[in-house]
Amino acid sequence: MSEVLWNTAASFTAQSTSITTFDSFAVSVVVKIAFALGLFFVVPIVGGYLEHKVMGRMQARRGPVEAGPFGTLQLVADGIKFIQKEDVIPRAADRWVFAAAPGVALVPGMLIFLVLPFGPGVFALDLELGLFYALAISSVSVLGILMGGWASANKFSLIGGLRAGGQLIAYELPLILAAITVAVQAGTLSLVGIVEAQATFMLPGTEINVWYVFPQILGFGIFFLAAMAELSRPPFDMPIADSELVFGYMTEYTGIKFAMFLLTEYGGMILMSALMVVLYLGGWQLLPGVPLPGCEGTGGLFDCGVTGTLLGVGITLGKIMALVFLMVWARVAYPRLREDQLQRFAWLVLVPLALLNLALVGVAKVVF
Amino acid sequence: MSDLSTRERVHPGSAPGEDFHLEIVGDGDFQTADMKLSIGPAHPATHGVFRIVLEMDGERVTGARPVIGYMHRGFEKLAEHRDYRQIKALVNRHDWLSGFSNELGVALAVERMMEMEVPDRAQWIRMLLAEWNRILNHLMFIGSYAIELGAITPMFYAFREREDIQHLLESATGGRLHFTYNQVGGLKIDLPKGFLRQSTELSALIRKRVPDYHDLVLGNDIFQARTVGVGPLPPEVALSLGVTGPTLHATGVPEDSRVTEPYLKYGEIDVDVPVGENGDSFDRFYCLLARISASLDIIDQIHDHLPAGPVNTKLPKMVKAPEGATYLRTENPLGQLGYWLESDGGRTPWRLKMRTPSFSNVQAIPYLLEGVLVPDAIAVLGSVFFVVGDIDR
Amino acid sequence: MATTSPPGVGLMKGLAVTIKHLFRYPATQMYPKERPDLPPRTRGVIALMDENCTVCMLCSRECPDWCIYIDSHKETVPPAKEGGRARTRNVLDRFAIDFSLCMYCGICVEVCPFDALWWSPEFEYAEYEIDGLLHEMGKLREWMDTVPPPPPLDAGAVPPAEAADAIAKKEKELEAEAAKQQETEAKEQEAAAPADGGDGKPKKAEVKVEGAGEIDQETYDQLIAEGKSERIARSKAKAAWVRKEKERLAAEQEAGGGDDAPAEKPKAADVHVEAGEIDQETYDQLIAEGKSERMARAKAKAAYVRKQKAKLAEEAAAGGGDDGDGGAASSEAAGDEAPEDAEAAEPKQGKLADVHVEGAGEIDQETFDQLIAEGKSERIARSKAKAAWVRKQKQAQLEEGGGS
């Protein structure tokens, strides 16, 4: 029975081997889930620490200093605090929807970690439809937010939820269009495949290896802005807008449920950054055209020893953190847009640009 | 309708028992009522316990009514039972961001009634501290307004500057917000040694930091998109509502009692009153920021002018304002502060009526909020610049 | 009013400002580890020097919050020597301040006539129970150890009475010594100068300079060259002119010598006048100007008092003028040697500020034109011209007063 399942699952996966795959189906499943969950809980905490520190220093403060060495355990301490807090459900709230909303928002983030490649062989699954899967699953989050906004029985929550719905749907489109463009250029939907394609992509007519960010700088910009809007990160944080809507759809949430929403945001930040790294920044490649030490195979990225694997993971995480830094920088420097300005920006600027980008890349693909 | 009111009752965002008329629009199954959104009394945008009830059609505000009085502390009545020394400790608390300017107003009113000559040095020092107090106040609003528009960083920079200024003022007065440094006839005690040097240095330092606010807030494209043309206030409306201070200057009216009716020694120095053109949120913020530089100019002039001499006059054992009344207005950071002081010759005022700038400024809010979106409502609300204690007294 | 820059420039500037701060030292004070540096005047906690307290209850009565509790009893002190009278004195039993009520206005410290209450900058006395904020005598006495010495005053300040007395005493001694020395020297040299042994160099601040906006061209040019704004340069140059003028006058005064011991003239404030009458002339004038009856009466009353005082003072001066021949001699000497000296000495006789001028918005046309020509705004020019008019009027009145 399990062998059959495993074979079915394997038939959807691409051919790259993952370090999380074992001979036994049961062990494989457990290891894969543990791998995804571990990443999901650890990397966002590193990202959150980076955000706290960078934001603090940019604002002439120090950020966390007390919890752990240099305040590194601040988010862990926050988590413990959130668990201890009273879990309040408003009397007028729709209890079940209210309670389910944070989970609905959080779980898709976890699921996407299954397909994200963090290094040579360091991924749970290499789905052939990896990109499609990631984008499809990430759209489910908005349901949780809408549920939370509606179920709270609070006008501020409701407005926040509606804003989030509008915003997330509006920015899904440029996000997907930009991602599709990459898929068109790479000729595959597998995330590992896209990394591989970037390692072998040469500028037309030359022997210079470049990442997709160079031919698709426009697409990268669109994806970055759309990702920030998807995550409701400032300057696109109208659904939360603490000075207007108190805390938007999160207003009535306390304790662990609130923490789940927060984790969704931090996890989303890592997720989107990781997607950008894979789609545009060459995955675990150090520099375009430079093979990792100890690696052979296509573009010097696969069949690595221990050093190469660790180095690859380090490079991926470094790139992710660099992108997180950019997001934090934008948060520190800018006020937020108005909801209608945001929508106008999405439909009148980003969507046409994304379509243009798709057309250009399609034409270029055919010509070269 | 009954269905609606039940939902209203259990809806935490709504205001039970409000005499606010909800209009039912459409017919048949499409009947909807406008939503009523109560912002405050405890809401992040109202910085204090100020409440404003918005009547909304979607996200568009169709009517707004400020509900004030949550912080009424009865200052005017309390003042009737306090002697003039005690009042000074009282009035620097109604607008807690302009403590020095408030107590200055009371001291000047009593001095005028007693026909007292205040030594020159005291007057110059009062001006110096009043201008520092003005900067202190404006920095606070620059930070909080940016926060209302979602920019968190200017607040921290503004508080860093505020900390420096508060430290300076503390070295002279002993207080950081409630200075109680004035007294009838002058000042409590002269400046400590080194104050003027520190003041000069700080003035240069803050002058160097002001461009950061221009770059970070005023010049920011998103900030301009959020504020330019939002909530324009025509000058005639502003004047008829009694709006004063930077909110009035933004409409292009340079009415500033430091210039039009100089008190202290303002007549002897150049006082620059920055004005706006359109009276929108951007101009209001611009005036606030420009007034910091203007106040720094005044401070530099005061450093050059400050004479030597005594800072207080000999007072009778019990300060008693003679029978009569006077109205004294000063240019407080937020606008014109007026004290109507009526005395029956006793040691306490018979009546102390306050005309506080925040109270007059919020009168413009219903006018400004009509027809704007909720995010704009916040942008407008923050740019009118009020302190809740100053509204409710 | 929106600053027009190409789109995106504003966004870049915002990023630049924040990245600049990333590499700067943060402004955070690591509070519990780093102590805040509080000035000595900080109103942190009130300390009690109970030995000084005489139980006069002033603090308790003046406290706006009534947060000071005092208990005391009377004690009879046996006579100090045989046959003397036994005296009673107040003994302090309890002195407590409830810091949960206190609003830190400092009135109690201000009114205490025997320096029993002091401010200390200590601030860390937060409590978990509100009762703990009621500080009894023992605790208040402990705070006394944390009271810092008061900071020295600014150079332009009048020293406090005690210090001033001490300085005066010392100066007198020095003066007497100097006079003695001078006398002997004078005898030896048989110098003609009648009164040269003054009390040294007149202080800069005592010399008043009246300027109608003159500026020090040199300073002005220099500042402009340094790239300062026109307005700042002008104000600084003005100040420089005043400084120089003061120095010059002081130097002249020193050279002039003898004028530094004028006859002690009674100050207007020292003369007591029975109030109640009003000055009819002023009253009528004010009523005619449309002031309210009440205002006119008050002003007229004040005018009457002023006139009477001036009259009395003049009489007193005339009466006492005989024994103060130094003053007359000095003014003559000054008149001979330097005409400016008269100008410098003049403000001593009557301060400008003592003279009241009622104006209905007249302006000094000359000043106004000049300022307009200098490119000032109409508004500033008008207000300055108004001030100039008032100044001139005052000057004129003073001259009249001085002449008679």
Short mmCIF file of all heavy atoms in Angstrom, two decimals, chain A residues 212-247:
data_model
loop_
_atom_site.label_atom_id
_atom_site.label_comp_id
_atom_site.label_asym_id
_atom_site.label_seq_id
_atom_site.Cartn_x
_atom_site.Cartn_y
_atom_site.Cartn_z
N TYR A 212 18.20 35.06 -13.93
CA TYR A 212 17.04 35.63 -14.62
C TYR A 212 16.76 37.07 -14.19
O TYR A 212 15.99 37.76 -14.83
CB TYR A 212 15.80 34.76 -14.36
CG TYR A 212 15.79 33.48 -15.14
CD1 TYR A 212 14.87 32.49 -14.88
CD2 TYR A 212 16.72 33.28 -16.17
CE1 TYR A 212 14.86 31.32 -15.59
CE2 TYR A 212 16.72 32.10 -16.88
CZ TYR A 212 15.81 31.13 -16.60
OH TYR A 212 15.80 29.97 -17.31
N VAL A 213 17.39 37.48 -13.11
CA VAL A 213 17.12 38.85 -12.68
C VAL A 213 17.62 39.84 -13.72
O VAL A 213 17.08 40.93 -13.86
CB VAL A 213 17.75 39.11 -11.29
CG1 VAL A 213 19.26 39.11 -11.36
CG2 VAL A 213 17.26 40.43 -10.72
N PHE A 214 18.63 39.45 -14.52
CA PHE A 214 19.15 40.42 -15.49
C PHE A 214 18.25 40.57 -16.70
O PHE A 214 17.85 41.68 -17.02
CB PHE A 214 20.58 40.03 -15.88
CG PHE A 214 21.52 40.13 -14.72
CD1 PHE A 214 21.98 39.00 -14.08
CD2 PHE A 214 21.90 41.38 -14.24
CE1 PHE A 214 22.82 39.09 -12.98
CE2 PHE A 214 22.74 41.48 -13.15
CZ PHE A 214 23.21 40.34 -12.52
N PRO A 215 17.85 39.46 -17.35
CA PRO A 215 16.91 39.69 -18.46
C PRO A 215 15.53 40.13 -17.96
O PRO A 215 14.79 40.77 -18.70
CB PRO A 215 16.83 38.32 -19.15
CG PRO A 215 17.28 37.34 -18.13
CD PRO A 215 18.26 38.04 -17.27
N GLN A 216 15.19 39.79 -16.73
CA GLN A 216 13.83 40.06 -16.26
C GLN A 216 13.81 41.02 -15.08
O GLN A 216 13.06 40.84 -14.13
CB GLN A 216 13.17 38.75 -15.85
CG GLN A 216 12.95 37.81 -16.99
CD GLN A 216 11.83 36.86 -16.70
OE1 GLN A 216 10.89 37.21 -15.99
NE2 GLN A 216 11.91 35.67 -17.24
N ILE A 217 14.63 42.03 -15.16
CA ILE A 217 14.68 42.99 -14.04
C ILE A 217 13.30 43.59 -13.78
O ILE A 217 12.89 43.82 -12.64
CB ILE A 217 15.74 44.09 -14.32
CG1 ILE A 217 15.87 45.03 -13.14
CG2 ILE A 217 15.43 44.88 -15.57
CD1 ILE A 217 16.60 44.42 -11.97
N LEU A 218 12.55 43.81 -14.86
CA LEU A 218 11.19 44.34 -14.72
C LEU A 218 10.32 43.35 -13.95
O LEU A 218 9.62 43.72 -13.01
CB LEU A 218 10.63 44.59 -16.12
CG LEU A 218 9.25 45.20 -16.20
CD1 LEU A 218 9.24 46.58 -15.58
CD2 LEU A 218 8.79 45.27 -17.64
N GLY A 219 10.42 42.09 -14.35
CA GLY A 219 9.62 41.08 -13.68
C GLY A 219 10.00 40.95 -12.22
O GLY A 219 9.13 40.80 -11.35
N PHE A 220 11.29 41.06 -11.95
CA PHE A 220 11.73 40.97 -10.56
C PHE A 220 11.14 42.10 -9.73
O PHE A 220 10.62 41.88 -8.63
CB PHE A 220 13.26 41.03 -10.50
CG PHE A 220 13.82 40.99 -9.11
CD1 PHE A 220 13.74 39.84 -8.35
CD2 PHE A 220 14.40 42.11 -8.55
CE1 PHE A 220 14.25 39.79 -7.07
CE2 PHE A 220 14.90 42.08 -7.27
CZ PHE A 220 14.83 40.92 -6.52
N GLY A 221 11.18 43.31 -10.29
CA GLY A 221 10.59 44.47 -9.57
C GLY A 221 9.11 44.24 -9.31
O GLY A 221 8.62 44.47 -8.20
N ILE A 222 8.41 43.76 -10.33
CA ILE A 222 6.97 43.53 -10.17
C ILE A 222 6.72 42.47 -9.10
O ILE A 222 5.89 42.64 -8.21
CB ILE A 222 6.35 43.09 -11.51
CG1 ILE A 222 6.40 44.23 -12.51
CG2 ILE A 222 4.92 42.64 -11.31
CD1 ILE A 222 6.09 43.81 -13.92
N PHE A 223 7.51 41.40 -9.17
CA PHE A 223 7.32 40.32 -8.21
C PHE A 223 7.60 40.81 -6.79
O PHE A 223 6.87 40.51 -5.85
CB PHE A 223 8.25 39.15 -8.56
CG PHE A 223 7.88 37.87 -7.87
CD1 PHE A 223 7.09 36.93 -8.52
CD2 PHE A 223 8.29 37.60 -6.58
CE1 PHE A 223 6.73 35.75 -7.90
CE2 PHE A 223 7.94 36.42 -5.95
CZ PHE A 223 7.15 35.49 -6.62
N PHE A 224 8.66 41.61 -6.64
CA PHE A 224 9.03 42.11 -5.32
C PHE A 224 7.92 42.98 -4.73
O PHE A 224 7.48 42.79 -3.59
CB PHE A 224 10.33 42.92 -5.42
CG PHE A 224 10.90 43.32 -4.09
CD1 PHE A 224 11.59 42.42 -3.32
CD2 PHE A 224 10.73 44.61 -3.62
CE1 PHE A 224 12.12 42.79 -2.10
CE2 PHE A 224 11.25 44.99 -2.40
CZ PHE A 224 11.95 44.07 -1.64
N LEU A 225 7.43 43.95 -5.53
CA LEU A 225 6.36 44.83 -5.04
C LEU A 225 5.10 44.03 -4.73
O LEU A 225 4.47 44.21 -3.68
CB LEU A 225 6.06 45.91 -6.07
CG LEU A 225 7.13 47.00 -6.21
CD1 LEU A 225 6.74 47.95 -7.31
CD2 LEU A 225 7.28 47.75 -4.90
N ALA A 226 4.75 43.14 -5.65
CA ALA A 226 3.53 42.36 -5.45
C ALA A 226 3.65 41.46 -4.23
O ALA A 226 2.70 41.28 -3.49
CB ALA A 226 3.24 41.53 -6.70
N ALA A 227 4.88 40.94 -4.00
CA ALA A 227 5.06 40.08 -2.84
C ALA A 227 4.88 40.88 -1.56
O ALA A 227 4.24 40.43 -0.61
CB ALA A 227 6.45 39.45 -2.88
N MET A 228 5.44 42.11 -1.54
CA MET A 228 5.26 42.94 -0.35
C MET A 228 3.79 43.22 -0.11
O MET A 228 3.30 43.23 1.02
CB MET A 228 6.04 44.24 -0.48
CG MET A 228 7.52 44.08 -0.21
SD MET A 228 8.21 45.52 0.58
CE MET A 228 8.21 46.66 -0.76
N ALA A 229 3.05 43.48 -1.19
CA ALA A 229 1.62 43.75 -1.05
C ALA A 229 0.88 42.50 -0.60
O ALA A 229 -0.02 42.56 0.23
CB ALA A 229 1.06 44.25 -2.37
N GLU A 230 1.26 41.34 -1.14
CA GLU A 230 0.65 40.08 -0.74
C GLU A 230 0.81 39.85 0.76
O GLU A 230 -0.06 39.32 1.42
CB GLU A 230 1.33 38.92 -1.46
CG GLU A 230 0.85 38.70 -2.87
CD GLU A 230 -0.51 38.05 -2.87
OE1 GLU A 230 -0.60 36.88 -2.53
OE2 GLU A 230 -1.48 38.74 -3.21
N LEU A 231 1.96 40.25 1.26
CA LEU A 231 2.25 39.99 2.67
C LEU A 231 1.71 41.10 3.57
O LEU A 231 1.90 41.06 4.78
CB LEU A 231 3.76 39.90 2.87
CG LEU A 231 4.46 38.76 2.13
CD1 LEU A 231 5.93 38.94 2.18
CD2 LEU A 231 4.05 37.46 2.77
N SER A 232 1.09 42.12 2.99
CA SER A 232 0.62 43.29 3.74
C SER A 232 1.77 43.93 4.51
O SER A 232 1.62 44.32 5.66
CB SER A 232 -0.49 42.92 4.73
OG SER A 232 -1.54 42.36 4.03
N ARG A 233 2.92 43.99 3.88
CA ARG A 233 4.05 44.63 4.53
C ARG A 233 4.00 46.11 4.21
O ARG A 233 3.65 46.49 3.10
CB ARG A 233 5.37 44.06 4.00
CG ARG A 233 5.58 42.62 4.34
CD ARG A 233 6.12 42.44 5.71
NE ARG A 233 7.33 43.21 5.92
CZ ARG A 233 7.90 43.38 7.11
NH1 ARG A 233 7.36 42.83 8.17
NH2 ARG A 233 9.01 44.06 7.24
N PRO A 234 4.37 46.98 5.18
CA PRO A 234 4.45 48.39 4.84
C PRO A 234 5.40 48.55 3.66
O PRO A 234 6.41 47.83 3.63
CB PRO A 234 5.03 49.03 6.10
CG PRO A 234 4.81 48.03 7.18
CD PRO A 234 4.78 46.70 6.55
N PRO A 235 5.20 49.46 2.76
CA PRO A 235 4.14 50.47 2.71
C PRO A 235 2.81 49.99 2.16
O PRO A 235 2.02 50.79 1.72
CB PRO A 235 4.77 51.52 1.77
CG PRO A 235 5.66 50.75 0.87
CD PRO A 235 6.15 49.58 1.65
N PHE A 236 2.57 48.69 2.13
CA PHE A 236 1.29 48.20 1.60
C PHE A 236 0.47 47.56 2.72
O PHE A 236 -0.17 46.53 2.51
CB PHE A 236 1.54 47.15 0.51
CG PHE A 236 2.38 47.65 -0.63
CD1 PHE A 236 3.67 47.23 -0.79
CD2 PHE A 236 1.86 48.56 -1.52
CE1 PHE A 236 4.45 47.69 -1.84
CE2 PHE A 236 2.62 49.02 -2.58
CZ PHE A 236 3.92 48.59 -2.73
N ASP A 237 0.52 48.12 3.92
CA ASP A 237 -0.11 47.42 5.04
C ASP A 237 -1.49 47.96 5.37
O ASP A 237 -1.89 47.99 6.52
CB ASP A 237 0.79 47.49 6.28
CG ASP A 237 1.02 48.90 6.74
OD1 ASP A 237 0.88 49.80 5.90
OD2 ASP A 237 1.33 49.11 7.92
N MET A 238 -2.25 48.35 4.34
CA MET A 238 -3.59 48.89 4.64
C MET A 238 -4.50 47.93 5.39
O MET A 238 -5.30 48.36 6.19
CB MET A 238 -4.33 49.29 3.37
CG MET A 238 -3.70 50.34 2.60
SD MET A 238 -2.47 49.51 1.68
CE MET A 238 -1.40 50.85 1.41
N PRO A 239 -4.45 46.60 5.13
CA PRO A 239 -5.36 45.72 5.87
C PRO A 239 -5.11 45.78 7.38
O PRO A 239 -6.01 45.53 8.16
CB PRO A 239 -5.05 44.32 5.33
CG PRO A 239 -4.46 44.56 4.01
CD PRO A 239 -3.71 45.83 4.11
N ILE A 240 -3.89 46.13 7.77
CA ILE A 240 -3.59 46.21 9.20
C ILE A 240 -3.70 47.66 9.67
O ILE A 240 -4.40 47.95 10.62
CB ILE A 240 -2.20 45.64 9.48
CG1 ILE A 240 -2.17 44.18 9.07
CG2 ILE A 240 -1.86 45.77 10.95
CD1 ILE A 240 -0.81 43.59 9.02
N ALA A 241 -3.02 48.56 8.97
CA ALA A 241 -3.12 50.01 9.18
C ALA A 241 -3.44 50.40 10.61
O ALA A 241 -4.54 50.85 10.92
CB ALA A 241 -4.16 50.60 8.23
N ASP A 242 -2.49 50.18 11.50
CA ASP A 242 -2.81 50.35 12.92
C ASP A 242 -3.33 51.73 13.30
O ASP A 242 -4.06 51.86 14.26
CB ASP A 242 -1.61 49.97 13.79
CG ASP A 242 -0.36 50.69 13.36
OD1 ASP A 242 -0.29 51.05 12.18
OD2 ASP A 242 0.54 50.88 14.18
N SER A 243 -2.99 52.78 12.53
CA SER A 243 -3.49 54.09 12.93
C SER A 243 -4.91 54.33 12.43
O SER A 243 -5.58 55.23 12.89
CB SER A 243 -2.57 55.19 12.42
OG SER A 243 -2.49 55.13 11.03
N GLU A 244 -5.35 53.50 11.47
CA GLU A 244 -6.71 53.70 10.97
C GLU A 244 -7.65 52.63 11.52
O GLU A 244 -8.68 52.94 12.09
CB GLU A 244 -6.72 53.60 9.44
CG GLU A 244 -5.95 54.71 8.77
CD GLU A 244 -5.58 54.32 7.34
OE1 GLU A 244 -6.29 53.51 6.74
OE2 GLU A 244 -4.55 54.82 6.84
N LEU A 245 -7.24 51.38 11.34
CA LEU A 245 -8.14 50.26 11.64
C LEU A 245 -7.72 49.53 12.90
O LEU A 245 -8.02 48.35 13.04
CB LEU A 245 -8.15 49.30 10.46
CG LEU A 245 -8.59 49.91 9.14
CD1 LEU A 245 -8.53 48.89 8.05
CD2 LEU A 245 -10.00 50.45 9.27
N VAL A 246 -7.02 50.18 13.77
CA VAL A 246 -6.53 49.59 15.01
C VAL A 246 -5.53 48.47 14.70
O VAL A 246 -4.35 48.64 14.84
CB VAL A 246 -7.67 49.09 15.91
CG1 VAL A 246 -7.12 48.73 17.27
CG2 VAL A 246 -8.72 50.18 16.07
N PHE A 247 -6.01 47.30 14.26
CA PHE A 247 -5.08 46.31 13.74
C PHE A 247 -5.74 45.47 12.66
O PHE A 247 -5.40 44.32 12.46
CB PHE A 247 -4.52 45.43 14.87
CG PHE A 247 -3.04 45.23 14.76
CD1 PHE A 247 -2.18 46.29 14.98
CD2 PHE A 247 -2.49 44.02 14.40
CE1 PHE A 247 -0.82 46.13 14.85
CE2 PHE A 247 -1.12 43.86 14.27
CZ PHE A 247 -0.29 44.92 14.49
#
